[in-house]
Amino acid sequence: MRLLSLILLFVLTAAVPARAVESAPRPTPAFNGTVHAVAYLGGTVYVGGAFTKVGWGGRTHPRERLAAFDGRTGELLSWAPPADGTVRALAAVPGAVYAAGDFHRIAGQKRDALARINPLTGTVATFQHGIAGTPYALAAGNGRLYLGGSLTAVGGRPVRNVAAFSLATGALDTGWQAGADDRVHTLALAGEDVLLGGAFKTVNADRLAVRLAAVHATTGVLDRYFRPKVAAEVNAIAVDSLGVYVATGGQGGRAIAYTFDGSTRWQRVFDGDTTAITTVGGVAYIGGHFDRVCLTARNGPQGACLDGSVPRVKLAAVTGDGRLTDWNPQANGVIGVRVLTTDPATGSLDAGGDFTTIGGRLRPRFARF
């Protein structure tokens, strides 16, 4: 019942609800390639992806798959450790920014798909592991760095698509026993638990832990109190005082809100995959490949809504009781939005992906609301 204890924790520590998120984006750097990941430390926003250049102040600056900007002014910072492959995930803690992805070198140093980087200088720390497989997700907390993906080994030691490392020593936590039978696409922290989302059919050999599960943050033991039902691969997870939220693929896509025991609170159906989700002030913000939100849960081939729909192009917002809001920024592109996050320092909502415009305004691959 570890997730249930979060209810009291959130009630005691929740901040004043944020004001409604605006549809018009604020000035931020522009990217020439896909943005996959965003992380925050103090007032700095760290961005990772497949880009090689960033535009700011009327100029183009080299930034090979990693960049940073000031969260209050939008100004591009000099932090620029080059990675030789796509950065798919970021996590930040005091003194370190962790990156995971397809790279083999960062800042000239050999790093196999996982690296620890100084948040001020961009130099690479001694944290180094051989990763067999492809990382997709990072999360940091409870004294650990958690890594998810399609993973078979870390430093030659077998793992099952998820692993944990000590933040203090950098060593693989061999006592953390979580494992999934298929890829882990997303991770989120929830009190004493780590939430796993992906394509798996079992976690720790439990056949009821399908696509979304919770494991203990320090032991990796499955939390059998949290028993959600999810019909398609989970692409993203968010947590707030009301519960757990997921963005899924499938026939069309779905945004689903759960209580802390895994009971469904609400779900909304889209005509394309949902790939990103976060919350601001009790409202869930959803991003993905979709162009419309279905009026009912019924959809057909290619996700077509069968009972009517409302236009929402790549971005939408849903209230705490499941009602679609009028927030409608309209991102362009086929893939659209890949990541949505909330800046804890400013309360801003950040979107990254493959889009180049928001509401017809030029916003290449990143937007801040």
Side-chain angles (χ1 to χ4, degrees), residues 4-16 240-242 260:
L4 185 63
S5 66
L6 277 179
I7 298 173
L8 179 58
L9 174 64
F10 276 117
V11 168
L12 292 176
T13 62
V16 176
D240 71 4
S241 62
L242 299 176
F260 287 112

Side-chain angles (χ1 to χ4, degrees), residues 114-293:
L114 183 62
R116 174 175 171 156
I117 308 165
N118 186 292
L120 298 177
T121 67
T123 56
V124 177
T126 55
F127 177 77
Q128 186 172 2
H129 295 274
I131 305 296
T134 302
Y136 297 128
L138 288 171
N142 305 291
R144 290 165 178 78
L145 175 73
Y146 303 96
L147 175 69
S150 294
L151 310 171
T152 58
V154 173
R157 188 180 184 92
V159 298
R160 294 168 294 161
N161 299 302
V162 66
F165 305 85
S166 167
L167 288 175
T169 67
L172 178 69
D173 185 349
T174 57
W176 196 71
Q177 296 299 311
D181 69 339
D182 203 341
R183 63 184 174 273
V184 174
H185 193 76
T186 180
L187 300 168
L189 301 179
E192 296 180 354
D193 280 334
V194 180
L195 296 170
L196 318 179
F200 51 81
K201 299 295 179 61
T202 68
V203 171
N204 296 359
D206 188 307
R207 298 192 179 207
L208 296 179
V210 182
R211 303 184 185 93
L212 178 63
V215 298
H216 196 274
T218 58
T219 67
V221 172
L222 182 68
D223 184 347
R224 289 182 168 82
Y225 177 76
F226 182 63
R227 290 297 195 185
K229 293 182 179 179
V230 192
E233 181 171 356
V234 173
N235 296 316
I237 303 171
V239 182
D240 71 4
S241 62
L242 299 176
V244 177
Y245 305 77
V246 299
T248 79
Q251 182 173 290
R254 294 173 190 255
I256 310 171
Y258 298 97
T259 62
F260 287 112
D261 67 358
S263 301
T264 300
R265 290 170 41 217
W266 57 257
Q267 67 172 317
R268 297 302 307 233
V269 177
F270 299 75
D271 70 346
D273 286 358
T274 62
T275 55
I277 195 163
T278 192
T279 64
V280 180
V283 176
Y285 292 84
I286 302 121
H289 313 330
F290 54 83
D291 294 319
R292 307 186 75 83
V293 182

Side-chain angles (χ1 to χ4, degrees), residues 12 19 48 65 134 141 156 172 215 295 305 320-321 324 330:
L12 292 176
R19 61 178 174 80
R65 303 171 187 91
T134 302
L172 178 69
V215 298
L295 296 181
C305 302
D321 57 2
L324 185 67
Q330 299 188 39

Side-chain angles (χ1 to χ4, degrees), residues 334-347:
V334 176
I335 300 299
V337 175
R338 292 180 183 264
V339 58
L340 284 173
T341 54
T342 306
D343 185 344
T346 64

